[in-house]
Amino acid sequence: MNNARKISEDLYWVGSSDRRLNLFENIMPVPQGVSYNAYLLKDEKNVLIDTSDNSVSEQFFENLYSLVGDNEKLDYIIVNHVEPDHSSLLCRTAYEYPEAKIICSAQAQKMILQFFDCIATERFITVKEGDKMSFGKHEFTFCTAPMVHWPEVIVSYDITTKTLFSADAFGTFKALNGNLFADEVNFDRDWLDEARRYYTNIVGKYGTQVQNLLKKASMLEINMICPLHGPIWRENIGYFVDKYDKWSRYEAEDDTILIIYGSLYGHTESAANIVASRLAEAGQKNIAMYDASVTHPSYLLSEAFRCRRIVILSSTYNAEIYTPVKIFIDEMKSHNLQNRVFAVAENGTWAPTAGKQMREMLAFNNNVITDTTLTIKSALNESQKDSVDKFVNEILNK
Amino acid sequence: MKKYVCKICKHVYDPAVGDPDSGIAPGTAFEDLPDDWTCPLCGVGKEDFEEE
């Protein structure tokens, strides 16, 4: 049975959600699922805006057939983004509707033909920044959004209804559970963490490019944002734009402290608990803390984007930084994190060198590291109380 | 003439090829590209390129 949903006059949602997928992009756990949005505009022309992932193909085609039936034509398929979680169903759609033309950027055409060998070049209409197309009542314009988060990405803007089809921008993890609109859910309580984890891991590296897109979008009047994942925004759009603005300027949302530790037998963990307690006793609230071994890096990265100050405690492991901690630091570097304060503590039963190596790894962008490395020799000793206090005070004073 | 790599998307500017779609003829050194030339793949400026 089809589950196509009317969004607004002439516009329908034809997507679906996957609650069984283990790893998005084969990296990130998605325990709350993920949605794949596709939209259909029924104007004088029928226009499909993106397709979906293979996992939801059955529902997608039931949805599409219900709106573009046997005696109807699909005139256009707009491909805002070629990543396979959106383009996997392009070939079959193009086959089922042989008259449909594909609207995309020149780079997107090249990529589509690299992935798939199914669409004749004559079926492509490539668009550039500012190009316009009318589908009847609705006139669209196209803007490039390079590296948000792929080079070929365009966003499509319905000038008539002031609707922005934003590709992966303004998306989030988590399955859509009947409610398609952000104003129908408690987004801050139930969605924001997954939205942040989605943004930081997938787009986080490209802050400058997201800022460029936000500047372009600020020139448009936007009544609705239709992303490729997650709920549609038609109210309180400013709330979500503000989050994107902060995340893309690498500005922390919370002035709180994040503690990440890597501990083999619990001694570095104990030190982390002691540091957290001293911080709490000094008045610091909302301290966040994670064991790097049991928390997927995608969550740690998301928290590092949220919090301004990050304390990292690591065992020394084969004369290097303990692997899960090394991975976490590498993730922060790869995603271009900036404007953070780090504090490092090392543990080593014979030659604690993790601290020095962490300081070297953390010397990227404009991030600062507090002066003192707290050194633990197997376990913190009562005689180290003053060192611990010094370490904690340096964090509090930043 | 040296090749230059875009730091953001890793596109390689090869002077031997130039960037004909943007009106840059083959044989144009990176240094001679106009100041407002941008990466054909991802749109960043010359300042985000480094020698290969």
Side-chain angles (χ1 to χ4, degrees):
Chain A
M1 184 175 178
N2 90 82
N3 191 27
R5 303 274 301 276
K6 189 164 187 184
I7 304 289
S8 57
E9 204 53 47
D10 304 330
L11 185 66
Y12 298 81
W13 176 83
V14 294
S16 192
S17 292
D18 181 355
R19 295 183 192 79
R20 297 176 67 188
L21 179 67
N22 184 20
L23 301 172
F24 187 81
E25 284 184 344
N26 217 12
I27 311 174
M28 289 155 248
V30 279
Q32 298 190 71
V34 63
S35 66
Y36 304 106
N37 297 336
Y39 303 93
L40 184 75
L41 178 76
K42 288 193 71 83
D43 196 347
E44 284 168 29
K45 305 286 185 192
N46 285 328
V47 185
L48 176 65
I49 300 159
D50 293 296
T51 70
S52 289
D53 185 82
N54 276 322
S55 58
V56 297
S57 63
E58 194 169 335
Q59 189 67 66
F60 172 83
F61 283 108
E62 279 185 299
N63 297 343
L64 184 57
Y65 296 154
S66 75
L67 292 170
V68 188
D70 283 340
N71 298 322
E72 294 180 81
K73 289 188 351 160
L74 180 64
D75 300 284
Y76 299 103
I77 307 168
I78 297 176
V79 176
N80 285 305
H81 181 30
V82 179
E83 193 165 7
D85 57 328
H86 306 295
S87 71
S88 284
L89 306 180
L90 184 59
C91 279
R92 181 170 154 195
T93 307
Y95 178 80
E96 302 271 3
Y97 298 97
E99 70 287 345
K101 294 267 199 288
I102 320 292
I103 299 171
C104 63
S105 66
Q107 281 192 49
Q109 177 181 349
K110 205 158 140 265
M111 287 182 184
I112 289 168
L113 297 173
Q114 281 174 195
F115 273 108
F116 315 115
D117 199 7
C118 64
I119 304 177
T121 47
E122 304 81 64
R123 293 182 65 178
F124 285 91
I125 298 172
T126 56
V127 292
K128 293 187 316 295
E129 174 83 17
D131 281 354
K132 291 196 167 88
M133 278 189 81
S134 175
F135 301 119
K137 279 195 350 248
H138 298 260
E139 194 187 16
F140 272 51
T141 185
F142 305 99
C143 307
T144 59
M147 303 320 290
V148 186
H149 58 122
W150 279 25
E152 90 296 1
V153 174
I154 57 173
V155 298
S156 306
Y157 177 68
D158 182 335
I159 300 168
T160 312
T161 60
K162 304 184 176 23
T163 301
L164 182 68
F165 298 91
S166 58
D168 273 346
F170 302 107
T172 175
F173 292 139
K174 193 165 146 127
L176 286 167
N177 304 320
N179 296 118
L180 292 183
F181 298 97
D183 51 273
E184 295 175 332
V185 300
N186 189 331
F187 194 89
D188 207 64
R189 184 190 66 192
D190 298 338
W191 287 79
L192 181 59
D193 285 344
E194 283 294 82
R196 184 188 302 109
R197 194 167 64 97
Y198 165 98
Y199 172 87
T200 55
N201 281 273
I202 295 171
V203 191
K205 178 177 177 170
Y206 303 110
T208 307
Q209 286 76 12
V210 172
Q211 283 283 306
N212 291 342
L213 181 61
L214 290 176
K215 277 193 198 71
K216 279 192 198 177
S218 69
M219 314 281 210
L220 303 168
E221 201 185 326
I222 298 175
N223 288 347
M224 191 156 74
I225 298 181
C226 293
L228 288 176
H229 303 282
I232 295 163
W233 290 82
R234 57 183 181 186
E235 284 174 30
N236 211 5
I237 291 175
Y239 159 90
F240 206 26
V241 170
D242 178 66
K243 293 294 182 202
Y244 264 69
D245 181 53
K246 283 200 164 70
W247 294 336
S248 57
R249 284 183 297 106
Y250 305 97
E251 181 184 319
E253 287 160 80
D254 297 318
D255 192 27
T256 191
I257 294 171
L258 171 67
I259 304 174
I260 307 284
Y261 65 87
S263 184
L264 286 85
Y265 292 104
H267 303 95
T268 309
E269 177 180 32
S270 172
N273 279 317
I274 286 162
V275 166
S277 295
R278 296 292 90 78
L279 288 167
E281 285 161 356
Q284 184 60 52
K285 296 194 164 43
N286 300 310
I287 300 166
M289 187 149 129
Y290 298 91
D291 178 332
S293 299
V294 302
T295 315
H296 191 272
S298 64
Y299 291 91
L300 303 182
L301 181 69
S302 183
E303 288 288 82
F305 266 75
R306 182 177 68 86
C307 305
R308 190 175 66 80
R309 289 168 286 177
I310 301 161
V311 184
I312 309 174
L313 303 97
S314 176
S315 281
T316 305
Y317 192 67
N318 291 323
E320 295 187 41
I321 304 166
Y322 184 53
T323 316
V325 176
K326 202 196 298 177
I327 290 171
F328 164 60
I329 299 176
D330 191 58
E331 285 285 271
M332 289 194 288
K333 282 185 81 156
S334 297
H335 290 80
N336 206 9
L337 190 57
Q338 300 162 35
N339 307 323
R340 296 297 180 275
V341 174
F342 294 112
V344 304
E346 62 185 357
N347 192 346
T349 291
W350 58 95
T353 56
K356 177 164 177 280
Q357 294 182 49
M358 283 194 281
R359 295 185 91 91
E360 281 162 6
M361 258 191 108
L362 291 168
F364 67 94
N365 291 335
N366 67 350
N367 302 303
V368 303
I369 311 173
T370 58
D371 292 335
T372 304
T373 301
L374 179 64
T375 300
I376 307 157
K377 300 216 71 180
S378 303
L380 270 181
N381 189 281
E382 294 295 334
S383 65
Q384 290 180 278
K385 274 178 69 117
D386 288 348
S387 302
V388 173
D389 287 343
K390 183 162 186 266
F391 181 69
V392 167
N393 284 331
E394 282 177 8
I395 299 163
L396 289 167
N397 290 334
K398 283 283 185 199
Chain B
M1 279 186 276
K2 295 207 180 70
K3 294 184 191 174
Y4 279 72
V5 182
C6 174
K7 286 191 253 181
I8 306 301
C9 75
K10 308 299 181 194
H11 170 76
V12 176
Y13 175 76
D14 183 353
V17 173
D19 181 14
D21 288 337
S22 304
I24 306 292
T28 309
F30 183 82
E31 297 76 18
D32 295 332
L33 292 168
D35 287 339
D36 61 356
W37 179 83
T38 53
C39 174
L41 207 57
C42 78
V44 297
K46 284 180 76 173
E47 63 278 3
D48 281 311
F49 276 74
E50 59 192 356
E51 267 185 50
E52 201 183 38

